[in-house]
Amino acid sequence: MGHAKAGKNGAALHPEAVAAPETVPLASLVSRLGKFSAVESGDTLRSLVRGRRGYDRDTPAWAERGDLASIVVIESGWAYKFAIMHDGRRHIADFFGPGAICNWSRLSRFEEQDDILFKGGASVTLLEPGLLDEKLNEDASLASTIKRHELARAMRTTQRIRAFISLPAMERTLLLLLDFADELRTVGKAPDWIHTPFAQAELADMLGLTAVHVSRVFKKLVDTGIIVRDGNSVRFTDRRRIERDLAYRRFFQARRSP
Amino acid sequence: MGHAKAGKNGAALHPEAVAAPETVPLASLVSRLGKFSAVESGDTLRSLVRGRRGYDRDTPAWAERGDLASIVVIESGWAYKFAIMHDGRRHIADFFGPGAICNWSRLSRFEEQDDILFKGGASVTLLEPGLLDEKLNEDASLASTIKRHELARAMRTTQRIRAFISLPAMERTLLLLLDFADELRTVGKAPDWIHTPFAQAELADMLGLTAVHVSRVFKKLVDTGIIVRDGNSVRFTDRRRIERDLAYRRFFQARRSP
DNA sequence: CGACGACTTGACATCGATCAAGCGAGGTGG
DNA sequence: CCACCTCGCTTGATCGATGTCAAGTCGTCG
């Protein structure tokens, strides 16, 4: 992941990371929510749009400076939530793929004071927080859909945290890759090839490892035939088996066509 | 902690762990909430009590079997939330001291399917979930108090998770001890001596370490003069310094008397 | 007294971090 | 267009941190 072939802003060179700017806003989010409800919620949500924004290079947004006053929804590309620790290390607590809501949750409405970094090539839609709350109070079906979506994220995070605290590096890394695949599945892609624009140093800050060790873990995973790499992307040779071995629980199931 | 001197059910021998059975129910919880609001909420809460229960030895409660259908509030003693991982290891995700609500949160209302273990000597009060929701909808001030209390817990957990993923064993352990002190502070104790009934094997399952290594870490902390031990209890020689070094954030402040 | 559980300690193996060097692709400036 | 720089990744050598296995101590409980 983040291999040199993809360039400095890896995502910018990949079609799925720059496709969105001309599409209808919130397409990714609406597609995600469709996995949790048959009700079409696009029009309601689109009435809350306050603006859009694209990032051609990695761009941090600082909570303190009010950069995150609007609700941010990823249209395309990726972002992550991070914090600097007392020893100077950066910890990345969560990541966001297309359709994810970065800085709002009805489950835990308190201020997460974490900052967010938008990866180069990402584009986002901004929503009005007050209006969203209002809509959700009116529209119980939409509220319940969003709640189930948030719930799935929360449970996936719980599963990941458990692994990152207790398991060795290889299993942590595999589980993170499975989470990436899960995140991609949310927007209808059930990709063999898992692609994200994250650099190994960023993976390290998610995993609680060093970048050097992440590199070695990937090498070992390739050498033992567990994954195949092509530039920025990764493929499991037998994903089912890995999921079984790790007791991995999927939270974003592909939905039968209605 | 959990040193042999305290016996098999460590907590049972310590006065603060067996004091409650004859006191008014929910005394610990009400005392905690007093840190977040000047409003006295004892009578309202006590109207929800469905029963009480004491544990003379370590007792697991299985979510699957419906053992946790009521809301469980610790009167005295300790408990923790745990799950068994795919490799057979046990992970302990959170712990509960006197006054804590074990299996309910308004912030994240979804089912945490974790099981709970009540340490020997613990006694708990059971509340009616439906009634609590009802009360909170009626009583905005109580709802806001409880919400702030839950918020403090959530933020403390976030801080702990970060440390447990990224930091080495010694710092993890220190932070866990500070969290124990924080939990004790919630019920008005601002103890020099931090006392919990947890065994080293349990600390290990919280920290993502082995019991043997926890033992060595404690030895090193004593040898370097950072902590002093007396049987089951621990005291920091300079807590302020440790809190500063770890950038530890307290969430349960001692409240000025009103 | 004997069994047991929790903790301790030592020897050793493995995992992961650190430091340092090198490589290849892009980007930049001459 | 080429020379050079930077960035992300790789690799090797080495060190420290942590896990594993095994033996031993010390209380408690029956």
Side-chain angles (χ1 to χ4, degrees):
Chain A
M1 336 264 322
H3 190 280
K5 284 175 195 166
K8 184 183 284 183
N9 299 314
L13 302 181
H14 283 264
E16 65 269 36
V18 292
E22 295 81 15
T23 64
V24 262
L26 301 180
S28 295
L29 174 57
V30 170
S31 154
R32 280 172 93 125
L33 295 180
K35 302 217 170 345
F36 293 92
S37 159
V39 179
E40 171 56 46
S41 49
D43 293 338
T44 310
L45 284 170
R46 273 189 279 272
S47 71
L48 309 173
V49 172
R50 170 196 265 184
R52 303 186 72 167
R53 166 105 214 242
Y55 300 92
D56 60 346
R57 65 186 62 226
D58 292 6
T59 308
W62 307 102
E64 276 189 356
R65 283 201 341 212
D67 295 349
L68 299 170
S70 302
I71 296 171
V72 181
V73 179
I74 307 270
E75 281 307 326
S76 65
W78 295 75
Y80 56 79
K81 212 172 69 179
F82 71 99
I84 307 296
M85 306 192 61
H86 70 278
D87 59 355
R89 290 173 74 120
R90 173 182 62 174
H91 174 70
I92 298 181
D94 205 358
F95 56 85
F96 305 98
I101 305 170
C102 298
N103 57 346
W104 178 93
S105 164
R106 250 213 163 181
L107 288 172
S108 57
R109 196 144 11 158
F110 63 87
E111 293 304 312
E112 304 254 13
Q113 76 284 49
D114 281 352
D115 304 307
I116 291 182
L117 187 141
F118 298 99
K119 289 298 291 178
S123 76
V124 304
T125 296
L126 306 173
L127 303 185
E128 178 70 52
L131 284 181
L132 178 56
D133 274 331
E134 212 172 284
K135 284 284 184 216
L136 291 182
N137 288 333
E138 291 169 11
D139 186 340
S141 126
L142 176 59
S144 136
T145 305
I146 288 201
K147 183 171 169 181
R148 268 178 288 166
H149 172 260
E150 296 293 308
L151 176 57
R153 267 198 93 81
M155 294 181 75
R156 196 179 63 189
T157 302
T158 300
Q159 172 180 243
R160 187 170 63 242
I161 286 170
R162 233 172 239 166
F164 285 10
I165 290 178
S166 305
L167 300 182
M170 250 189 53
E171 303 185 33
R172 293 187 198 192
T173 307
L174 288 171
L175 194 135
L176 182 58
L177 291 174
L178 289 173
D179 272 3
F180 288 154
D182 199 55
E183 185 77 348
L184 286 166
R185 204 178 298 122
T186 60
V187 267
K189 309 175 190 176
D192 268 352
W193 287 95
I194 302 165
H195 171 268
T196 71
F198 299 127
Q200 287 186 359
E202 291 166 325
L203 301 185
D205 289 339
M206 299 181 194
L207 292 162
L209 304 170
T210 58
V212 173
H213 197 62
V214 169
S215 170
R216 284 193 238 265
V217 167
F218 270 95
K219 179 169 162 46
K220 189 166 182 182
L221 290 174
V222 171
D223 290 349
T224 54
I226 295 176
I227 64 170
V228 179
R229 271 199 291 182
D230 177 19
N232 225 357
S233 296
V234 166
R235 182 170 62 80
F236 284 98
T237 49
D238 185 351
R239 178 146 50 100
R240 297 302 173 114
R241 200 175 110 77
I242 303 297
E243 290 182 351
R244 208 171 339 107
D245 289 351
L246 293 179
Y248 184 81
R249 199 166 150 200
R250 293 188 189 187
F251 294 104
F252 293 93
Q253 296 295 342
R255 191 192 177 76
R256 323 256 167 279
S257 47
Chain B
M1 341 266 318
H3 190 280
K5 284 175 195 166
K8 185 183 282 181
N9 299 314
L13 304 181
H14 285 264
E16 65 271 36
V18 292
E22 296 80 15
T23 64
V24 262
L26 300 180
S28 295
L29 174 58
V30 169
S31 153
R32 281 173 92 125
L33 295 179
K35 303 221 171 342
F36 294 92
S37 159
V39 179
E40 170 57 47
S41 49
D43 293 339
T44 310
L45 284 169
R46 274 189 277 273
S47 71
L48 308 173
V49 172
R50 170 197 264 183
R52 303 186 70 167
R53 168 104 213 241
Y55 299 93
D56 61 345
R57 65 186 61 226
D58 291 5
T59 308
W62 307 102
E64 276 190 354
R65 284 201 339 212
D67 294 350
L68 301 170
S70 303
I71 296 171
V72 180
V73 180
I74 308 269
E75 283 305 327
S76 66
W78 295 76
Y80 56 79
K81 212 172 72 179
F82 71 99
I84 307 296
M85 306 193 61
H86 70 279
D87 59 355
R89 290 172 73 121
R90 172 183 62 173
H91 174 72
I92 298 181
D94 204 0
F95 57 85
F96 306 98
I101 305 171
C102 298
N103 57 345
W104 179 92
S105 163
R106 252 215 163 179
L107 288 171
S108 57
R109 196 144 13 157
F110 63 88
E111 292 304 312
E112 304 254 15
Q113 77 284 49
D114 281 353
D115 303 307
I116 291 183
L117 187 140
F118 297 99
K119 289 298 291 178
S123 75
V124 304
T125 296
L126 306 173
L127 303 185
E128 177 70 52
L131 284 181
L132 177 57
D133 274 330
E134 214 172 283
K135 284 285 183 214
L136 292 182
N137 288 335
E138 290 169 11
D139 186 342
S141 125
L142 177 59
S144 136
T145 304
I146 288 201
K147 184 171 170 180
R148 269 178 287 166
H149 172 259
E150 295 293 307
L151 176 58
R153 268 198 92 81
M155 295 182 73
R156 194 179 65 188
T157 301
T158 300
Q159 171 179 243
R160 187 169 65 240
I161 286 169
R162 232 171 241 166
F164 285 10
I165 292 179
S166 305
L167 300 182
M170 250 188 53
E171 302 186 32
R172 293 188 199 191
T173 306
L174 287 171
L175 194 136
L176 182 60
L177 291 175
L178 289 173
D179 271 4
F180 288 155
D182 200 56
E183 185 77 348
L184 286 167
R185 205 177 298 123
T186 60
V187 268
K189 309 176 187 174
D192 268 350
W193 286 94
I194 302 165
H195 171 268
T196 72
F198 300 127
Q200 287 185 0
E202 291 166 325
L203 301 185
D205 290 339
M206 299 182 193
L207 292 162
L209 303 170
T210 59
V212 172
H213 198 62
V214 169
S215 170
R216 284 194 241 264
V217 167
F218 270 93
K219 178 171 163 45
K220 189 166 181 182
L221 290 174
V222 171
D223 289 350
T224 54
I226 295 175
I227 63 170
V228 179
R229 272 199 290 183
D230 176 20
N232 225 358
S233 295
V234 167
R235 181 171 63 80
F236 284 99
T237 49
D238 185 351
R239 178 146 50 102
R240 297 301 172 117
R241 200 174 111 76
I242 302 298
E243 289 182 350
R244 205 168 344 105
D245 289 352
L246 293 180
Y248 184 81
R249 200 167 148 200
R250 293 189 188 187
F251 294 103
F252 293 93
Q253 295 297 342
R255 191 190 178 76
R256 323 255 166 281
S257 47

